Amino acid sequence: MSHTHVEKSEGTPKRKSRVSRRNFLYTTAAGAAALALPGCRKSEPPVLSALAGDFDPLRSYPYRGWEDFYRKIWTWDKVVRSTHSANCTGSCSWKVYVRNGVMVREEQASDYPRISKDLPDYNPRGCQKGGCFVEYVYSPQRLRYPLIRTGARGEGKWRRASWDEALTLIAEKLLDNVYNYGPDTNTFFSVIPAMSPVSFCGGSRLAHYLGGVMLSFYDWYCDLPPGEPLTWGVQTEACECADWFNAKYIVLWGSNISQTRIPDAHFAFEARYNGAKIVAISPDFNSSCMHADLYWQINPGTDAALAMGVAKILMDENLMDVPYVKEQTDLPLLVVTGTRRFLRESDLKAGGKDDVFFVWDTKKSQPAATPGSMGSAEKTIRWNGVDPALTGSFRVMLADGNAAEVTTVFELLRSSLAAYPLEKVAQLTGLPAHEIQTFAREMGTRKPAMIIHGAGTNHWFHNDLTNRAMILLVALTGNVGKNGGGFNHYVGQERIWPEHGFFELAFPEGRKKQRFQNTTLWSYVHSASKDPHQYNGKPIEWYIQESVKNGWMPLWPAGGRKPRAFIVWRANYLNQAKGSEILETSLWRDLDLIVDINFRMDTTALYSDVVLPASSYYEKVDLNSTDCHSYIHTFGKALDPLFESKTDWDIFQALAQKISEVARRKGLQPFRDEKFEWSRDFTRLADDWTGKGSIVTDEQAADFILSHSKETQGMTYRNLQAQPKRFVATDEEAWNSDIEEGIAYTPFKHQVDKKRPWRTLTGRQQFYIDHPWYLELDEALPAYKEPIPEKFPLYWNTPHGRWSIHSTWRDHRAMLRLQRGMPIVYMHPDDARKRGLRDNDWVRIFNDIGQCVCRLQILPGEKPGRVTMYHGWEKFLGFQQGGWQSLTYIKIKPTQLIGKYGHVNFRLNYWGPTGNNRDIKVEVEKARVKA
Ligand code: SF4
């Protein structure tokens, strides 16, 4: 039709005094035929000149109904402030608009108080996912009623159930397990308390009173950087993102902040206006790399080699902060050359302590005890008149009368760094030698310097060694514990700021009376997972047995029994599990009851037996905080829970009531839990769960957390609902810096400024771990070890992406429209050419573990030798076969199984084997898929 119109117009161009909106749109829509339009020939005046003068395209437009409809979106009855909890680390403040009982849209609230006029502020915060959550609230995948499975697991056959029926079924099974198989056969899995602690505590309180097992999440998802507990004795501590602006040198190392820290990436890029230089290190040229001053396309899995090479240059060229190194690190500590163990007080005198260590005092030429170690009476790390030697070998007289040679950790490190000459590091990493040298020199001289670290490097098997090598760089240069400096790791909202109140609410009788379990170990042992590799000639099973036998790692249920019930809330265990098909056909199959509490039908829900509908983020009362900023704020109820959904808090309260009711009906006698010497009277469980009626509502629970934490003194749910508030203080038992007025939070000022001991065995940033397994496996010091060998040619890379937060929003209509709308794998053109593959081909990705079939996208920014699929795709979202976790499997690192070593002990989400997934390799071939 437009073509006809154009033909008619040709040859008789008419100047109109006014262009109607219809004609204007007509002209625009006919863009493809533009060359035939009036005004598009050299001989004719440009058509846009006709728009001058009295021009109102709306005057003659007849169809105005859609405009009214659109305008109504911008009217509302009420506005409620809320946020999202998908473990995005954003913790952004949003306004939700409601009209006639319907949520119509959200908008960034921009209400964070500013820390200082010298820092960019946090407003407005948000991302594109948060901007369309309201559609999720009413989407087809929203769970509306309790469901009980009628077909096979995963088949999608359900019947609607009443709350009473569903809760009775669950309560009876949980009690049956306690009395017949043991309370440790009931397992509970939920993630990230910081993103909605009240919702987390609802379930953890129930697990606590039932004697059930609480699984970890941070290590299982491999977000825990194990180098931090090893070196610093902390789970993870990072500066808030405003502190990035204070840096003069920022290294984006395995962290793609443009995609995964959308609300905060600006702080790093604005730091360039403050004199910062940005270096991006990543195998692919991702969307953060384009903002960098220097981009390095490093070979996958070689980051520790680079860090060790740079550490060597820092030492060789004396680019270190020597006073800092002597005071803040274990590098001056003495090690007995023969045993490779630290020199301890127990070596020097009978009855001496095992946790008091020594340096060589150059002033007195004799050993001097280091203040601030775990066994030291002195609670400072300040050297009083002692000048510790960094280099040299010395002789000491041992308690048994023999002399022994000792040297410093610094000397041992220096000799181990000899294995990383510049040319070798350049060859391993694929980076230019002269640029590595420049980088080292800048790292040593531009202060403060920080590493922003993420999953890209942390998801590898040797993540602990890589972490430790990177921390070494910022420690040698004196950057840890200073604003704008340090090693700052962000993969998840792993830690909750008001920690004390949270733990009191989550585990009311204390954490010592709770069964905790590392999920990586649990998933491996209770499934058919099998790591084929040997470690020092021994299978991983040997290390697991030793660890459990020594009491280093717990393993529940104890004594070879199987878990029987699995309750999941605020998480998507099955979709995110390494080797998901292996687990599905073993651990999952063996479970008698799987319950999923969720607001949408995700993979875990689909493969469950009972699904309970939870309220969405905008229908609940809760709290929210993140490592990325120093504020706390709330979830507000824009509407009461929709359909038949309930908040997580109310669901677990209803379940507690139902358990009490069933226990009374069955006349159950109290269960004697010998482990804790606890007589559990389940007829009173509902009363216990509500704190004898003192914490009944979710608002009371939120207020309990706030009032029992130093960070949130004076705050209530109600007054936080108006606006986010900055924390007022930090609990010194939990945190390593103060909250300071006008200054961005950064950790470890207590150690650097106040000279308090680090939370490690030696009281220092500890780079030397002299545990027997570390010595045996040659990991006492940071080192580079090659990725676990796999026989296939292409690394399988599954990073966090732009269009989802893990699996949440993966199935969201608006997000799917911003991409190809189904799982795709990215491949470098050279790799595609070698395999005869073309863009958008169906491909089969496979290895010895499994396979998946999806579409291919050719991407020049990808690294040859690697393929990438952004993670989180639900199994039902367009794979022709398998899923992104079909190719992975659980590989437990032996050294991460140790315990009872000073500061290295199992603690939930602090220390335990990580579920790494980057050392996996695959092959890709064209797949035959029927259209
Ligand atoms: S999803 Fe997370 S990052 Fe995005 S707007 Fe919500 S809270 Fe912020």
Side-chain angles (χ1 to χ4, degrees):
M1 189 178 160
S2 61
H3 182 71
T4 311
H5 173 82
V6 169
E7 289 297 305
K8 271 176 131 180
S9 303
E10 197 176 21
T12 53
K14 281 184 190 160
R15 286 280 196 94
K16 293 178 183 170
S17 61
R18 201 173 67 193
V19 175
S20 72
R21 177 176 172 83
R22 173 175 284 195
N23 280 348
F24 175 72
L25 292 174
Y26 215 140
T27 306
T28 309
L35 285 175
L37 285 170
C40 290
R41 292 179 171 186
K42 268 190 182 169
S43 57
E44 295 162 356
V47 73
L48 283 178
S49 65
L51 300 182
D54 175 21
F55 167 60
D56 179 359
L58 297 182
R59 191 167 297 156
S60 62
Y61 191 75
Y63 308 118
R64 310 300 292 264
W66 68 273
E67 291 168 352
D68 285 342
F69 181 76
Y70 186 66
R71 223 175 263 127
K72 277 186 185 143
I73 293 179
W74 306 94
T75 63
W76 56 88
D77 313 326
K78 67 170 176 176
V79 183
V80 178
R81 226 198 39 75
S82 198
T83 184
H84 315 112
S85 58
N87 192 19
C88 54
T89 67
S91 186
C92 308
S93 180
W94 284 80
K95 293 189 273 192
V96 183
Y97 290 79
V98 179
R99 191 182 64 248
N100 292 338
V102 177
M103 296 179 216
V104 286
R105 69 186 172 91
E106 55 265 281
E107 184 180 280
Q108 289 155 290
S110 293
D111 53 0
Y112 291 84
R114 196 165 186 174
I115 294 177
S116 153
K117 66 176 174 37
D118 296 328
L119 292 171
D121 72 352
Y122 280 100
N123 296 310
R125 282 179 84 67
C127 76
Q128 83 281 39
K129 280 85 68 183
C132 63
F133 184 79
V134 108
E135 187 174 311
Y136 244 155
V137 172
Y138 302 104
S139 67
Q141 55 269 59
R142 178 72 196 264
L143 289 163
R144 289 160 163 77
Y145 323 103
L147 298 171
I148 293 178
R149 176 171 65 84
T150 56
R153 280 181 184 153
E155 202 182 355
K157 291 187 177 166
W158 305 92
R159 70 177 170 82
R160 186 172 166 177
S162 67
W163 273 101
D164 189 64
E165 182 191 6
L167 292 176
T168 304
L169 187 158
I170 299 164
E172 288 188 340
K173 179 63 188 163
L174 293 176
L175 284 173
D176 187 46
N177 284 347
V178 171
Y179 284 90
N180 292 317
Y181 306 106
D184 53 356
T185 58
N186 290 326
T187 313
F188 292 75
F189 184 68
S190 189
V191 299
I192 325 290
M195 67 186 192
S196 47
V198 171
S199 305
F200 181 96
C201 287
S204 66
R205 283 173 82 83
L206 191 80
H208 189 64
Y209 285 116
L210 272 177
V213 177
M214 240 355 265
L215 293 183
S216 66
F217 49 86
Y218 190 46
D219 38 22
W220 167 235
Y221 288 144
C222 209
D223 295 346
L224 168 75
E228 292 205 27
L230 283 169
T231 313
W232 290 335
V234 300
Q235 179 202 37
T236 303
E237 291 218 9
C239 64
E240 64 174 305
C241 295
D243 198 40
W244 299 355
F245 186 74
N246 291 319
K248 290 290 180 275
Y249 204 60
I250 298 177
V251 187
L252 301 177
W253 209 334
S255 183
N256 181 1
I257 56 174
S258 291
Q259 292 203 23
T260 62
R261 296 292 166 272
I262 289 174
D264 292 301
H266 70 96
F267 287 112
F269 305 141
E270 285 158 353
R272 297 175 73 196
Y273 293 101
N274 199 30
K277 181 170 179 176
I278 297 184
V279 180
I281 305 174
S282 170
D284 59 323
F285 186 74
N286 63 47
S287 48
S288 300
C289 301
M290 62 197 248
H291 298 283
D293 300 281
L294 172 65
Y295 165 58
W296 272 345
Q297 191 170 42
I298 193 168
N299 288 334
T302 63
D303 304 83
L306 176 61
M308 295 302 281
V310 172
K312 180 174 183 339
I313 297 169
L314 293 174
M315 273 199 184
D316 290 350
E317 300 192 9
N318 200 18
L319 294 167
M320 298 174 296
D321 183 337
V322 172
Y324 179 100
V325 168
K326 285 186 175 183
E327 180 185 82
Q328 298 285 330
T329 76
D330 67 341
L331 299 193
L333 266 61
L334 295 174
V335 173
V336 180
T337 316
T339 62
R340 296 190 294 152
R341 300 263 296 160
F342 279 120
L343 179 68
R344 290 165 157 84
E345 192 185 54
S346 51
D347 295 322
L348 295 178
K349 68 174 187 192
K353 292 181 167 181
D354 270 344
D355 45 9
V356 169
F357 305 91
F358 291 85
V359 294
W360 188 262
D361 182 3
T362 58
K363 288 184 183 164
K364 293 189 177 162
S365 290
Q366 64 182 38
T370 57
S373 73
M374 276 191 173
S376 170
E378 295 175 70
K379 298 303 166 205
T380 175
I381 52 172
R382 205 185 298 274
W383 292 114
N384 279 325
V386 171
D387 180 27
L390 277 181
T391 57
S393 291
F394 315 95
R395 287 184 80 75
V396 295
M397 196 56 72
L398 301 181
D400 61 8
N402 292 318
E405 187 191 64
V406 293
T407 188
T408 62
V409 174
F410 187 92
E411 277 289 7
L412 295 176
L413 179 63
R414 188 159 65 176
S415 67
S416 79
L417 286 173
Y420 303 94
L422 185 55
E423 291 310 322
K424 181 179 166 191
V425 170
Q427 184 254 327
L428 276 170
T429 57
L431 304 175
H434 70 279
E435 286 186 10
I436 296 173
Q437 197 157 36
T438 306
F439 173 74
R441 288 171 182 164
E442 290 184 341
M443 191 89 202
T445 52
R446 288 183 77 116
K447 306 232 170 142
M450 73 161 65
I451 295 170
I452 295 177
H453 180 257
T457 38
N458 205 61
H459 281 189
W460 291 83
F461 183 77
H462 291 301
N463 49 11
D464 45 2
L465 288 173
T466 307
N467 297 162
R468 292 165 71 199
M470 289 184 187
I471 294 172
L472 182 62
L473 302 185
V474 278
L476 286 174
T477 52
N479 276 300
V480 182
K482 297 182 181 166
N483 278 105
F487 170 86
N488 298 296
H489 171 83
Y490 308 92
V491 190
Q493 270 153 274
E494 85 293 335
R495 188 156 180 211
I496 179 165
W497 280 82
E499 198 175 274
H500 190 262
F502 159 72
F503 279 122
E504 291 241 320
L505 184 69
F507 308 106
E509 300 291 324
R511 279 176 274 175
K512 290 210 168 106
K513 289 198 164 188
Q514 174 60 47
R515 291 182 171 91
F516 289 117
Q517 174 65 53
N518 167 273
T519 304
T520 316
L521 190 56
W522 183 86
S523 303
Y524 186 86
V525 170
H526 294 305
S527 71
S529 297
K530 179 79 190 130
D531 178 357
H533 301 99
Q534 299 271 313
Y535 303 97
N536 248 10
K538 289 178 267 210
I540 193 60
E541 283 73 14
W542 182 87
Y543 291 96
I544 292 173
Q545 274 171 16
E546 285 294 304
S547 174
V548 173
K549 191 174 78 193
N550 294 335
W552 296 345
M553 287 291 148
L555 183 58
W556 301 108
R561 286 167 301 129
K562 286 276 179 195
R564 292 187 167 265
F566 192 43
I567 316 274
V568 183
W569 75 110
R570 302 163 67 261
N572 193 356
Y573 174 88
L574 193 59
N575 198 60
Q576 309 295 104
K578 285 93 197 157
S580 61
E581 266 111 52
I582 298 169
L583 299 191
E584 191 192 313
T585 53
S586 49
L587 179 147
W588 208 255
R589 186 199 53 203
D590 293 346
L591 290 163
D592 301 336
L593 176 70
I594 302 162
V595 179
D596 189 76
I597 299 169
N598 213 322
F599 73 85
R600 68 185 180 95
M601 184 63 90
D602 65 10
T603 299
T604 306
L606 185 64
Y607 284 77
S608 295
D609 304 320
V610 182
V611 172
L612 301 178
S615 55
S616 81
Y617 306 153
Y618 294 163
E619 303 150 42
K620 69 200 294 181
V621 162
D622 214 321
L623 303 169
N624 189 277
S625 67
T626 174
D627 300 15
C628 285
H629 63 56
S630 50
Y631 302 83
I632 186 160
H633 64 134
T634 55
F635 290 81
K637 260 187 189 168
L639 292 175
D640 283 334
L642 290 171
F643 316 109
E644 286 189 17
S645 72
K646 295 178 192 284
T647 64
D648 299 71
W649 179 262
D650 286 346
I651 290 172
F652 282 106
Q653 183 165 179
L655 186 53
Q657 281 162 355
K658 184 57 73 182
I659 290 170
S660 289
E661 188 186 308
V662 171
R664 281 195 296 271
R665 172 163 47 83
K666 293 193 169 183
L668 295 177
Q669 293 304 304
F671 176 83
R672 182 74 187 159
D673 192 336
E674 296 298 345
K675 163 140 181 93
F676 303 119
E677 298 180 346
W678 186 340
S679 220
R680 299 177 187 274
D681 182 353
F682 297 119
T683 62
R684 301 172 48 81
L685 190 132
D687 201 33
D688 289 337
W689 189 94
T690 58
K692 314 265 178 288
S694 63
I695 319 170
V696 176
T697 68
D698 35 21
E699 187 173 330
Q700 285 171 330
D703 284 339
F704 180 94
I705 293 174
L706 296 169
S707 63
H708 285 73
S709 304
K710 284 192 179 145
E711 291 78 6
T712 48
Q713 282 306 297
M715 298 182 198
T716 63
Y717 174 79
R718 286 284 161 89
N719 67 31
L720 278 177
Q721 185 55 25
Q723 187 185 14
K725 284 194 195 321
R726 197 164 190 235
F727 296 107
V728 293
T730 48
D731 183 344
E732 298 209 353
E733 278 187 21
W735 298 92
N736 293 293
S737 286
D738 299 329
I739 289 280
E740 298 169 281
E741 183 77 28
I743 295 175
Y745 180 85
T746 199
F748 307 126
K749 287 189 177 179
H750 289 169
Q751 286 78 7
V752 172
D753 295 344
K754 298 183 179 176
K755 311 300 178 197
R756 294 199 187 141
W758 291 77
R759 297 166 192 258
T760 58
L761 178 63
T762 58
R764 305 285 189 286
Q765 299 184 59
Q766 189 169 328
F767 292 99
Y768 193 71
I769 306 292
D770 68 343
H771 184 280
W773 284 15
Y774 277 70
L775 294 168
E776 183 186 320
L777 290 155
D778 208 13
E779 297 190 9
L781 284 166
Y784 164 67
K785 285 193 169 178
E786 285 183 10
I788 291 285
E790 297 280 343
K791 75 179 188 198
F792 293 91
L794 301 163
Y795 276 114
W796 176 236
N797 182 43
T798 52
H800 297 166
R802 184 199 294 269
W803 295 296
S804 74
I805 303 296
H806 314 298
S807 58
T808 311
W809 283 281
R810 260 294 173 223
D811 54 348
H812 192 290
R813 193 179 57 131
M815 290 302 105
L816 289 169
R817 282 179 173 181
L818 292 177
Q819 33 179 329
R820 291 198 187 179
M822 58 168 62
I824 42 175
V825 62
Y826 298 92
M827 179 182 265
H828 189 272
D830 291 348
D831 284 332
R833 209 171 296 121
K834 270 188 228 160
R835 291 164 176 80
L837 299 172
R838 298 172 58 165
D839 195 67
N840 212 38
D841 273 350
W842 286 105
V843 290
R844 185 173 85 98
I845 310 161
F846 63 95
N847 60 15
D848 287 342
I849 307 299
Q851 62 174 351
C852 75
V853 174
C854 63
R855 294 273 196 190
L856 175 75
Q857 180 166 340
I858 296 188
L859 185 71
E862 180 54 282
K863 176 93 175 166
R866 195 180 84 160
V867 288
T868 290
M869 177 181 289
Y870 286 102
H871 92 158
W873 289 100
E874 302 282 3
K875 290 179 83 168
F876 51 78
L877 272 179
F879 289 103
Q880 293 293 315
Q881 281 178 41
W884 58 285
Q885 291 282 27
S886 305
L887 302 146
T888 60
Y889 65 100
I890 303 171
K891 298 181 294 300
I892 289 176
K893 186 165 180 186
T895 46
Q896 294 179 9
L897 286 163
I898 73 155
K900 296 187 180 171
Y901 174 86
H903 57 293
V904 189
N905 294 296
F906 169 74
R907 234 162 64 202
L908 199 75
N909 302 314
Y910 164 86
W911 180 250
T914 54
N916 54 81
N917 56 340
R918 290 286 161 97
D919 302 48
I920 299 293
K921 287 187 145 186
V922 298
E923 180 53 288
V924 180
E925 65 179 16
K926 201 168 163 70
R928 280 183 212 92
V929 172
K930 284 184 194 148

